[in-house]
Each structure stands twice: as C-alpha cells, then as structure tokens.
Amino acid sequence: MKTRWWILLLSILFVLFGLLTLFFFLPRAQAHSAEIWSEGKLLQTVSLHQEQSFVVEGSRGSNTVTVKDGKISVTEASCPDHYCMKRGECDSGPDIICLPNQLVIKFTNENELDATAG
C-alpha cells in the first residue's frame, strides 16, 4: 500500500514539473515594445520596430542598448560578468537584467492592460 502511494505521488510530481517546464519554455508572442528601467526608475519605453542605439548611464556603470530587426540587446556593458550581453538579441521572454548596473529591460505588448487602469 505504501509503495502505491509513493508511485502515485511521484507520478503527480513528474506531470506537474513537465507542465511547468512547458509553460516556461514555450515561445511567447513577440513583444512590440520594451521598458528600460534603471535603478528602479522607468527611463523610457522603446518600440522594437524602430532601430536605435543608446547608452543607459547609472550610478554603478553604463550599458549600451541596441534595437535592431525587431529585437533588443545589450551590446556593451561595464559590469564584470557581462551576463546581460550573453542573452543576445531578444524579442520576448524573461527580462534582460544587468544586476551590477541595476538595468532591467522588460518586454511589453501594446494590448496589455495596466494594473492601475482598472
């Protein structure tokens, strides 16, 4: 009886982890814009359809952000690990984060509702 209980419990856990894995790794819809946050403050919202490059200066360092071909990336960074640069060109998915320089790039869509809009 105890063996059946453990088999059932492990089976449920494997199915749950499988569903969570699918949820996190399935491709998401391409974002239309991205919010550039530095040190907890929203600096600007950029369209991913307009090619541009700019430098985000913070008190701890700087990052060069480039928008090209509908994707955004950090092309230069003064941080020691360059993890933000290793993300490459992205058009959706998890935020691009440079922890040492306190830079966050969040993907947004035009049709998303703001929580404060009600």
Side-chain angles (χ1 to χ4, degrees):
M1 194 63 146
K2 289 183 180 181
T3 304
R4 288 184 188 169
W5 172 253
W6 282 108
I7 291 173
L8 179 64
L9 180 65
L10 288 175
S11 299
I12 291 171
L13 286 175
F14 280 130
V15 168
L16 180 65
F17 286 132
L19 291 174
L20 285 174
T21 301
L22 284 176
F23 175 75
F24 284 113
F25 290 109
L26 283 178
R28 297 181 179 145
Q30 181 179 5
H32 297 287
S33 58
E35 295 177 341
I36 312 298
W37 293 77
S38 180
E39 298 177 350
K41 297 176 184 168
L42 178 62
L43 297 181
Q44 63 182 349
T45 300
V46 296
S47 170
L48 296 182
H49 302 293
Q50 180 182 1
E51 294 191 5
Q52 56 187 310
S53 184
F54 52 90
V55 177
V56 178
E57 293 282 344
S59 62
R60 298 183 181 193
S62 64
N63 296 76
T64 302
V65 178
T66 303
V67 179
K68 183 178 177 185
D69 298 327
K71 298 181 179 184
I72 191 167
S73 63
V74 177
T75 52
E76 291 182 32
S78 63
C79 59
D81 59 2
H82 297 263
Y83 178 72
C84 52
M85 293 174 59
K86 294 175 186 173
R87 280 288 312 276
E89 297 176 337
C90 303
D91 60 4
S92 63
D95 300 341
I96 299 173
I97 299 173
C98 181
L99 214 54
N101 294 344
Q102 296 183 348
L103 172 79
V104 178
I105 301 173
K106 296 181 179 186
F107 296 101
T108 59
N109 284 320
E110 295 169 356
N111 56 357
E112 287 182 353
L113 292 176
D114 188 1
T116 60

